[in-house]
Amino acid sequence: MTNNSARKILLIEDNLGDVRLLSEMFKDEGPNNIELTHVDCVGVAENYLSSNLPHIILLDLGLPDAQGLDAIRRVRAAAPHIPLVVLTGLNDESMAVQALKEGAQDYLIKGQIEPRGLLRALRYAIERKVAEEALFVEKGLAQLTLNCIGDAIACTDRTGNISFLNIAAQVMTGWTLREAAGRPAEEIFLIVDATSREPMPAPVEMSATRNRAVRLPPNCILVRRDGVEVPIEDTIAAIYDREGRPAGAVIVFRDVSAARAMALQITHLAEHDFLTGLPNRMLLNDRIALAIASAIRHKHQVALLFLDLDGFKHINDSLGHPAGDKLLQSVARRLGTCVSVLDTVSRQGGDEFVVLLARVGPADQVATTARKMLEAVAGPHMIDGDDLHVTTSIGISLYPDDGRDAETLIKNADTAMFQAKENGRQIYQFFEPDMNVRAVERQSTEESLRRALQRNEFKLHYQPKVDIQTGDITGAEALIRWTHPLKGPMLPDQFIPIAEECGLILPITRWVLREACAQAQAWVAAGLPLMTMAVNISAMDFRAESFLESVFSIIDETGFDPKFLELELTERVLMRRTGSTEFVLKALKERGIRLAVDDFGTGYSSLSYLRAFPIDAIKIDQSFIRQISIAPDDVSIVIAMIDMGRNLKLRVVAEGVETEEELAFLREHHCDEVQGFLFSRAVPPERFARLLEARSFQFAPS
Ligand code: C2E
Ligand code: MG
Ligand code: MG
């Protein structure tokens, strides 16, 4: 025998003849190699095994105290890890097979045993037992590992019945291994398609027919034993036996609820506007494509409404972004109430919304919806305890007349919206082909403005401000003038808003400031009696980080005394009571620069800023001054404005004074200064110098 062969053998046999025969055979092996212990019944063997560990047991199946399977079971119970070889009688093969099933490693048929065969049988029995034990340990380890894995793992046998479930699989299916073992896999894994609800094919078949690991299609749902549905993702691989026949399958699957919820959320985020939750441009484009496809089939029209809030930029500038955001959310909600579930309200960004009416009949139906939207938006919006008012302008394009794809339809609706703004705001406007020409013009204005800066095409004109008591010129307001190389003179109202939109206002204002300060400095140096030079500042200028630095460096450069510089800001700039507004105003004030509120009365109702900020003057907007001539009975508001300004110790300037009547009224009510065509239009610098030389205007006696 080899080294690892048995040395200690326990023989359980009551037939002494057989005992002798076997002993003889072992003796041939050499007395030092084999240590044979003999007992004649199971009872004694059990006793012996309780304190001894033989290498192998030879068991006769016909003993006085136990026979057949009973004997095997008792010995196995007493020594489960010791290899067992049974001795059976001739023609008792069926018993031998049973013995193997019960855990015996081998059987020997009495009467056929010969020494070499006996020893070989014993050696093999021991080797088999060692291998079996190792396998057992390995299997235990494997199961332990599988149970530690977070993924659920299930195995089926060749007939498709469950043979193993790890703990995760038991939790996910709601079946214990004991209950599931031997049942068809389809019963334990009811997997359906999330959308069609169709059951998926049996996993083993799937992998076996394709002869490779397969994945379930995305969107699969496992219906748990209790009916709860769990979205899963899985891989199925077939197991083959040595002959290459399918022997079962391994199914690995995992709960992807969290991942799928995340994916849904990501898709939602990608397709919706963060602020309002409305579909964004991307989703809108999809919906337009769908609507067009359906319109082709059903021969109807599709309408796109492009909305842009009027003056939203100013609300944002003056009240701050948080209030602006809330206003946009409120507008979004209102728009939603104007359309049906088939339609889409989307936000393009900023204060622009696009509404898709997926199925429209006659154009007046679209007009009705547009009117509804105008009204819905115009109603007061309660934001942070204040009623905010905002209006919108709507441009409309129709499929198929105004475009056959999303891009063209949106572009044309946008163009129509621009036209609506130009035609007076808070109206809707259907697209017309010649509008595109105007849109192109606007674009070209922007380009021309850029060139104008480079080529120095701007000029400043100056309009005098006049002391209402003495008629003396107190100062000048610098007003920009531009002669377009092709189109001729352009009004500031035609290009300043465009410059504000595209950011060109910043360099333009710097140019105006530098030019105005240099001019004023030249007049002062020439001994002309100039008191102030006023320059208009846009909201965008004021918000720019570089603003203060620009103003100060221009003052330094030109040597102009900041005491004589006045900046005209609109109410909208000042309405925004933020720390930075206050900081900038104070910094300007500290350098001695004066501050005036331009177009006073056209902004917002809250006037608390007049007290909060270091303002020197208000300029009553010319629309109120015009009231004096148009509706002399209704001038209480002008009187109230003048009184309020005086009470706050501010200089009150009237803008746009055109008639003697207006002048007389203003003088009567103690306005301080006047400005308007009655005295002079804005004039080129040479002419303004002559006005300064004359020093004052002669008034008609009051
Ligand atoms: P604003 O600052 O309120 O300037 C007064 C406007 O009223 C000027 O128009 C002026 O010519 C006009 N005006 C003065 N007196 C009368 C009058 O008696 N009757 C009438 N009907 N109009 C009168 P303008 O020069 O066309 O400027 C319009 C607006 O464009 C200005 O309003 C200002 O907001 C803006 N603007 C002009 N120049 C500049 C500039 O250099 N920078 C900036 N940011 N804005 C400017
Ligand atoms: Mg002004
Ligand atoms: Mg004004």
Side-chain angles (χ1 to χ4, degrees), residues 366-611:
V366 182
T368 309
T369 307
R371 264 195 301 274
K372 247 206 264 179
M373 290 182 165
L374 291 176
E375 271 171 37
V377 172
H381 298 261
M382 187 65 158
I383 309 287
D384 296 338
D386 284 325
D387 274 345
L388 286 190
H389 292 267
V390 70
T391 57
T392 182
S393 302
I394 306 179
I396 304 169
S397 66
L398 295 171
Y399 170 88
D401 289 356
D402 303 330
R404 303 202 165 237
D405 55 62
E407 197 188 333
T408 316
L409 286 167
I410 293 178
K411 192 180 112 255
N412 288 343
D414 184 14
T415 305
M417 183 278 296
F418 246 96
Q419 192 59 49
K421 292 237 180 224
E422 290 203 347
N423 291 359
R425 306 185 158 197
Q426 217 207 340
I427 51 171
Y428 62 85
Q429 174 78 54
F430 282 91
F431 173 76
E432 287 158 23
D434 73 342
M435 286 176 182
N436 272 331
V437 180
R438 266 166 281 172
V440 169
E441 256 171 38
R442 190 189 165 83
Q443 178 75 30
S444 85
T445 302
E446 195 181 313
E447 279 154 30
S448 312
L449 273 175
R450 262 175 236 284
R451 267 199 305 273
L453 262 173
Q454 287 156 8
R455 297 186 193 167
N456 230 341
E457 286 170 8
F458 296 117
K459 295 217 156 21
L460 284 187
H461 282 192
Y462 300 91
Q463 187 180 34
K465 292 182 193 173
V466 179
D467 182 312
I468 205 165
Q469 296 303 332
T470 63
D472 288 351
I473 294 176
T474 56
E477 176 175 5
L479 294 160
I480 194 165
R481 297 293 176 257
W482 177 34
T483 305
H484 189 285
L486 301 174
K487 294 180 198 154
M490 305 270 284
L491 290 172
D493 289 336
Q494 288 175 301
F495 63 87
I496 292 287
I498 298 177
E500 282 174 344
E501 258 168 47
C502 66
L504 278 174
I505 192 69
L506 300 183
I508 291 180
T509 299
R510 271 199 293 277
W511 179 85
V512 172
L513 262 173
R514 189 172 293 119
E515 182 71 19
C517 288
Q519 179 63 74
Q521 175 62 15
W523 283 329
V524 171
L528 292 172
L530 181 83
M531 304 301 285
T532 60
M533 173 58 81
V535 172
N536 292 287
I537 301 296
S538 291
M540 193 181 193
D541 293 318
F542 192 79
R543 303 260 166 266
E545 252 176 53
S546 57
F547 177 63
L548 273 182
E549 207 223 293
S550 300
V551 175
F552 294 159
S553 71
I554 288 168
I555 287 172
D556 293 343
E557 240 173 71
T558 55
F560 185 51
D561 185 343
K563 276 207 303 290
F564 300 127
L565 178 62
E566 183 161 84
L567 300 184
E568 295 192 4
L569 309 164
T570 60
E571 284 183 282
R572 293 178 175 111
V573 171
L574 301 167
M575 273 299 293
R576 188 161 161 184
R577 305 247 333 243
T578 61
S580 73
T581 303
E582 195 168 346
F583 174 81
V584 174
L585 291 174
K586 277 204 176 126
L588 292 168
K589 203 70 220 152
E590 270 160 25
R591 282 296 294 260
I593 295 168
R594 296 196 226 175
L595 303 169
V597 182
D598 204 352
D599 304 342
F600 184 76
T602 58
Y604 293 82
S605 48
S606 163
L607 296 172
S608 54
Y609 67 84
L610 285 180
R611 242 186 266 276

Side-chain angles (χ1 to χ4, degrees), residues 61-62 68 87-99 107 109:
L61 292 183
L87 303 166
T88 64
L90 209 54
N91 303 329
D92 207 1
E93 293 260 350
S94 68
M95 172 54 73
V97 172
Q98 286 283 354
Y107 62 89
I109 298 169

Side-chain angles (χ1 to χ4, degrees), residues 615-626:
I615 307 291
D616 299 282
I618 53 173
K619 296 183 74 182
I620 300 176
D621 189 69
Q622 50 176 291
S623 56
F624 298 99
I625 305 304
R626 205 63 64 242

Side-chain angles (χ1 to χ4, degrees), residues 224-470:
R224 220 165 61 182
R225 196 178 184 183
D226 58 6
V228 171
E229 302 191 348
V230 189
I232 58 161
E233 194 178 78
D234 80 351
T235 313
I236 301 158
I239 308 170
Y240 300 94
D241 63 14
R242 263 186 249 193
E243 277 72 45
R245 290 172 306 207
V250 180
I251 308 165
V252 181
F253 54 107
R254 77 173 63 98
D255 180 345
V256 290
S257 326
R260 222 170 268 177
M262 175 100 76
L264 279 178
Q265 203 185 346
I266 289 170
T267 316
H268 185 89
L269 281 179
E271 291 184 333
H272 290 80
D273 166 48
F274 180 73
L275 181 66
T276 59
L278 292 177
N280 63 13
R281 199 184 300 229
M282 208 171 95
L283 186 52
L284 175 76
N285 282 345
D286 281 356
R287 301 247 174 108
I288 295 176
L290 285 177
I292 289 178
S294 153
I296 293 170
R297 272 200 307 282
H298 300 105
K299 306 219 172 343
H300 56 70
Q301 296 194 92
V302 173
L304 274 195
L305 285 69
F306 198 112
L307 289 85
D308 184 287
L309 301 184
D310 303 323
F312 178 75
K313 207 165 85 59
H314 293 302
I315 293 184
N316 233 0
D317 283 346
S318 51
L319 301 182
H321 286 286
D325 285 354
K326 286 182 196 157
L327 182 61
L328 289 173
Q329 288 165 337
S330 171
V331 167
R333 279 193 296 275
R334 301 242 178 119
L335 293 178
T337 63
C338 301
V339 298
S340 83
V341 286
L342 291 178
D343 304 325
T344 301
V345 177
S346 75
R347 179 167 172 242
Q348 294 284 292
D351 58 345
E352 293 175 347
F353 296 85
V354 174
V355 178
L356 162 71
L357 304 182
R359 176 183 280 248
V360 293
D364 58 344
Q365 187 193 330
V366 182
T368 309
T369 307
R371 264 195 301 274
K372 247 206 264 179
M373 290 182 165
L374 291 176
E375 271 171 37
V377 172
H381 298 261
M382 187 65 158
I383 309 287
D384 296 338
D386 284 325
D387 274 345
L388 286 190
H389 292 267
V390 70
T391 57
T392 182
S393 302
I394 306 179
I396 304 169
S397 66
L398 295 171
Y399 170 88
D401 289 356
D402 303 330
R404 303 202 165 237
D405 55 62
E407 197 188 333
T408 316
L409 286 167
I410 293 178
K411 192 180 112 255
N412 288 343
D414 184 14
T415 305
M417 183 278 296
F418 246 96
Q419 192 59 49
K421 292 237 180 224
E422 290 203 347
N423 291 359
R425 306 185 158 197
Q426 217 207 340
I427 51 171
Y428 62 85
Q429 174 78 54
F430 282 91
F431 173 76
E432 287 158 23
D434 73 342
M435 286 176 182
N436 272 331
V437 180
R438 266 166 281 172
V440 169
E441 256 171 38
R442 190 189 165 83
Q443 178 75 30
S444 85
T445 302
E446 195 181 313
E447 279 154 30
S448 312
L449 273 175
R450 262 175 236 284
R451 267 199 305 273
L453 262 173
Q454 287 156 8
R455 297 186 193 167
N456 230 341
E457 286 170 8
F458 296 117
K459 295 217 156 21
L460 284 187
H461 282 192
Y462 300 91
Q463 187 180 34
K465 292 182 193 173
V466 179
D467 182 312
I468 205 165
Q469 296 303 332
T470 63

Side-chain angles (χ1 to χ4, degrees), residues 205-225:
E205 276 166 35
M206 266 176 71
S207 69
T209 48
R210 297 186 203 170
N211 197 18
R212 62 180 162 82
V214 290
R215 269 175 179 285
L216 280 180
N219 249 352
C220 277
I221 283 183
L222 171 74
V223 184
R224 220 165 61 182
R225 196 178 184 183

